[in-house]
Amino acid sequence: MKKVINILFVTCFASAVTAQTPAVPPAKKPLLAPAPVEKAFEQKFPNATNLHWGKESLKEWEAEFVFKGENISANFTSDGKWVETEKEIKASEFPKAVAEAIQKQYPGWIITEADITQTEKNGTIYEAAIKNGKLKKGVAFKEDGIPVKE
């Protein structure tokens, strides 16, 4: 009888321990971009490190990586055409004309994020996330302070 009680005790204890141990989810495989995208990326950003791919849309891929010591993201179409490169900067790094345009067009608004973006279509643009109380908005300007319509 003592053996039966011990076996029941061990079985119940093991079941309780197993029930309290959370299952470990399977590790996610890193997302791999199509070969034309990978090739275009390697040509544009040789020696980039810490590369992580994501899907921006059905036909566009985004790479997040470190290049020359800076955190950067770049987008490519599925066939390997470069779309844009973006990196976060400090608002104090905006050209004077951009800072003045934001102050003039959005008085009282606060810059919460600043980026510099290179695109084939618009060249270099400076983007800012701005807010005024609960209102939030994204704005973009050329280096000379002219707004960019996207």
Side-chain angles (χ1 to χ4, degrees), residues 67-83:
F67 186 66
K68 297 182 180 177
E70 297 183 304
N71 292 322
I72 298 177
S73 69
N75 292 27
F76 295 85
T77 60
S78 293
D79 61 358
K81 183 180 178 199
W82 171 76
V83 177

Side-chain angles (χ1 to χ4, degrees), residues 14-15 17 35 45 59 65-66 75 89 98 102 116 123 128 131 138 140:
S15 295
V17 169
F45 302 101
K59 296 182 180 182
F65 56 98
V66 175
N75 292 27
I89 61 174
V98 172
I102 293 170
I116 184 171
K131 73 174 189 171

Side-chain angles (χ1 to χ4, degrees), residues 34-112:
V37 176
E38 293 266 354
K39 183 177 179 182
F41 174 82
E42 289 170 9
Q43 288 175 344
K44 189 155 184 73
F45 302 101
N47 304 316
T49 61
N50 298 346
L51 173 61
H52 300 284
W53 285 104
K55 290 282 287 184
E56 188 75 6
S57 68
L58 288 175
K59 296 182 180 182
E60 193 170 314
W61 289 81
E62 180 178 36
E64 293 182 351
F65 56 98
V66 175
F67 186 66
K68 297 182 180 177
E70 297 183 304
N71 292 322
I72 298 177
S73 69
N75 292 27
F76 295 85
T77 60
S78 293
D79 61 358
K81 183 180 178 199
W82 171 76
V83 177
E84 72 175 18
T85 302
E86 179 178 273
K87 74 174 182 171
E88 193 170 327
I89 61 174
K90 295 177 184 173
S92 61
E93 295 177 62
F94 277 153
K96 184 178 179 184
V98 172
E100 289 174 351
I102 293 170
Q103 289 174 352
K104 182 178 178 183
Q105 293 177 35
Y106 303 97
W109 289 67
I110 298 168
I111 298 172
T112 58

